Coordinates of all heavy atoms in Angstrom, one line a residue:
T159 N 218.8 114.0 51.1 CA 220.1 113.9 50.5 C 220.1 114.5 49.1 O 221.2 115.0 48.6 CB 220.6 112.4 50.4 OG1 219.6 111.7 49.6 CG2 220.7 111.8 51.8
T160 N 219.0 114.5 48.4 CA 219.0 115.1 47.0 C 218.1 116.3 47.0 O 217.9 116.9 45.9 CB 218.4 114.1 46.0 OG1 217.1 113.6 46.4 CG2 219.3 112.8 45.9
C161 N 217.5 116.7 48.1 CA 216.6 117.9 48.2 C 215.4 117.7 47.2 O 215.1 118.7 46.5 CB 217.4 119.2 47.9 SG 216.5 120.7 48.4
E162 N 214.8 116.6 47.2 CA 213.8 116.3 46.3 C 212.5 115.9 47.0 O 212.5 115.2 48.0 CB 214.1 115.2 45.3 CG 215.2 115.6 44.3 CD 215.5 114.4 43.3 OE1 215.1 113.3 43.6 OE2 216.0 114.7 42.2
L163 N 211.4 116.4 46.4 CA 210.1 116.0 46.9 C 209.6 114.8 46.0 O 209.4 115.0 44.8 CB 209.1 117.1 46.9 CG 207.7 116.9 47.4 CD1 207.7 116.5 48.9 CD2 206.8 118.0 47.2
L164 N 209.3 113.7 46.6 CA 208.9 112.5 45.8 C 207.4 112.3 46.0 O 206.9 112.3 47.1 CB 209.6 111.2 46.3 CG 211.2 111.3 46.3 CD1 211.7 110.0 46.9 CD2 211.7 111.6 44.9
I165 N 206.7 112.2 44.9 CA 205.2 112.1 44.9 C 204.8 110.8 44.3 O 205.0 110.6 43.1 CB 204.6 113.3 44.2 CG1 205.1 114.7 44.7 CG2 203.1 113.3 44.3 CD1 206.1 115.3 43.8
A166 N 204.1 110.0 45.0 CA 203.5 108.8 44.5 C 202.2 109.1 43.9 O 201.4 109.8 44.6 CB 203.4 107.7 45.6
S167 N 201.9 108.7 42.7 CA 200.7 109.1 42.0 C 200.0 108.0 41.3 O 200.6 106.8 41.2 CB 201.1 110.2 40.9 OG 202.0 109.7 40.0
S168 N 198.9 108.3 40.7 CA 198.2 107.3 39.9 C 198.8 107.1 38.6 O 199.6 107.9 38.1 CB 196.7 107.7 39.7 OG 196.7 109.0 39.1
S169 N 198.5 106.0 37.9 CA 199.1 105.7 36.6 C 198.6 106.7 35.5 O 197.4 107.2 35.6 CB 198.7 104.3 36.2 OG 199.2 104.0 34.9
T170 N 199.4 107.0 34.5 CA 199.0 107.8 33.4 C 198.1 107.1 32.5 O 197.3 107.8 31.7 CB 200.3 108.3 32.6 OG1 201.0 107.1 32.2 CG2 201.2 109.1 33.5
N171 N 198.0 105.8 32.5 CA 197.2 105.0 31.6 C 196.4 104.0 32.5 O 197.0 103.2 33.2 CB 198.0 104.3 30.6 CG 197.1 103.6 29.5 OD1 195.8 103.5 29.7 ND2 197.7 103.1 28.5
A172 N 195.1 104.1 32.5 CA 194.2 103.3 33.3 C 194.4 101.8 33.0 O 194.2 100.9 33.8 CB 192.8 103.7 33.2
N173 N 194.8 101.4 31.8 CA 195.0 100.1 31.4 C 196.4 99.6 31.5 O 196.7 98.5 31.0 CB 194.5 99.9 29.9 CG 193.0 100.2 29.7 OD1 192.2 99.9 30.6 ND2 192.6 100.8 28.7
S174 N 197.3 100.3 32.0 CA 198.7 99.9 32.2 C 199.0 99.7 33.6 O 198.5 100.2 34.5 CB 199.6 101.1 31.6 OG 200.9 100.8 31.9
R175 N 200.0 98.7 33.8 CA 200.4 98.4 35.1 C 201.6 99.3 35.5 O 202.1 99.2 36.7 CB 200.8 96.9 35.2 CG 199.7 96.0 35.0 CD 200.2 94.5 35.2 NE 199.1 93.6 34.9 CZ 199.3 92.3 34.9 NH1 200.5 91.8 35.1 NH2 198.3 91.4 34.6
A176 N 202.2 100.1 34.6 CA 203.3 100.9 34.9 C 202.9 102.1 35.7 O 201.8 102.6 35.6 CB 204.0 101.3 33.6
G177 N 203.8 102.5 36.6 CA 203.5 103.7 37.4 C 204.7 104.6 37.5 O 205.8 104.2 37.1
Q178 N 204.5 105.8 38.0 CA 205.6 106.8 38.1 C 205.6 107.4 39.5 O 204.5 107.6 40.1 CB 205.5 107.8 37.0 CG 205.8 107.3 35.6 CD 205.8 108.4 34.6 OE1 205.1 109.4 34.8 NE2 206.5 108.3 33.5
V179 N 206.8 107.8 39.9 CA 207.0 108.6 41.1 C 207.6 109.9 40.7 O 208.8 109.9 40.2 CB 207.8 107.9 42.2 CG1 208.1 108.8 43.4 CG2 207.2 106.6 42.7
Y180 N 206.9 111.0 40.8 CA 207.4 112.3 40.3 C 208.5 112.8 41.3 O 208.3 112.7 42.5 CB 206.3 113.3 40.2 CG 205.3 112.9 39.2 CD1 204.0 112.6 39.6 CD2 205.6 112.7 37.8 CE1 203.0 112.2 38.6 CE2 204.6 112.3 36.9 CZ 203.4 112.0 37.3 OH 202.4 111.6 36.4
R181 N 209.5 113.4 40.8 CA 210.6 114.0 41.6 C 210.7 115.5 41.3 O 210.9 115.9 40.2 CB 211.9 113.3 41.2 CG 212.0 111.8 41.4 CD 213.1 111.2 40.7 NE 214.4 111.9 41.0 CZ 215.5 111.8 40.2 NH1 215.4 111.2 39.0 NH2 216.6 112.5 40.6
F182 N 210.5 116.3 42.3 CA 210.6 117.8 42.2 C 211.8 118.2 43.0 O 211.8 118.1 44.3 CB 209.3 118.5 42.6 CG 209.3 119.9 42.4 CD1 209.2 120.5 41.1 CD2 209.5 120.8 43.5 CE1 209.2 121.8 40.9 CE2 209.6 122.2 43.2 CZ 209.4 122.7 42.0
N183 N 212.8 118.8 42.4 CA 214.0 119.3 43.1 C 213.7 120.7 43.6 O 213.5 121.6 42.9 CB 215.2 119.3 42.1 CG 216.5 119.5 42.8 OD1 216.7 120.6 43.4 ND2 217.3 118.5 42.8
L184 N 213.7 120.8 45.0 CA 213.4 122.0 45.6 C 214.5 123.0 45.5 O 214.3 124.3 45.6 CB 213.1 121.8 47.1 CG 211.9 120.9 47.4 CD1 211.7 120.7 48.9 CD2 210.6 121.4 46.7
E185 N 215.8 122.6 45.3 CA 216.9 123.5 45.2 C 216.9 124.1 43.8 O 217.2 125.3 43.7 CB 218.2 122.7 45.5 CG 219.4 123.6 45.5 CD 220.7 122.8 45.9 OE1 220.6 121.6 45.9 OE2 221.7 123.4 46.1
E186 N 216.6 123.3 42.8 CA 216.6 123.8 41.4 C 215.3 124.4 41.0 O 215.2 125.1 40.0 CB 217.1 122.7 40.4 CG 218.5 122.2 40.7 CD 218.9 121.1 39.8 OE1 218.0 120.7 39.0 OE2 220.0 120.6 39.9
G187 N 214.2 124.0 41.7 CA 212.9 124.5 41.3 C 212.3 123.9 40.0 O 211.6 124.5 39.3
R188 N 212.6 122.6 39.8 CA 212.1 122.0 38.5 C 212.0 120.5 38.8 O 212.5 119.9 39.7 CB 213.1 122.2 37.4 CG 214.5 121.7 37.6 CD 215.4 121.9 36.4 NE 216.7 121.3 36.6 CZ 217.6 121.3 35.6 NH1 217.4 121.9 34.5 NH2 218.8 120.8 35.9
F189 N 211.2 119.8 37.8 CA 211.0 118.4 37.9 C 212.2 117.7 37.4 O 212.9 118.1 36.4 CB 209.8 118.0 37.1 CG 208.5 118.3 37.8 CD1 207.8 119.4 37.5 CD2 208.0 117.4 38.8 CE1 206.6 119.7 38.2 CE2 206.8 117.7 39.4 CZ 206.1 118.8 39.1
A190 N 212.6 116.5 38.0 CA 213.6 115.7 37.5 C 213.0 114.4 36.8 O 211.7 114.3 36.9 CB 214.5 115.2 38.6
T191 N 213.8 113.6 36.2 CA 213.2 112.4 35.6 C 212.5 111.5 36.6 O 213.1 111.2 37.6 CB 214.4 111.6 34.9 OG1 215.1 112.4 34.0 CG2 213.8 110.4 34.2

Side-chain angles (χ1 to χ4, degrees):
T159 59
T160 58
C161 195
E162 289 182 342
L163 182 65
L164 306 178
I165 306 104
S167 62
S168 59
S169 176
T170 56
N171 188 350
N173 297 322
S174 175
R175 295 182 185 175
Q178 289 183 335
V179 175
Y180 300 114
R181 301 162 53 203
F182 184 76
N183 192 293
L184 300 179
E185 186 176 10
E186 299 177 358
R188 63 178 181 178
F189 284 97
T191 303

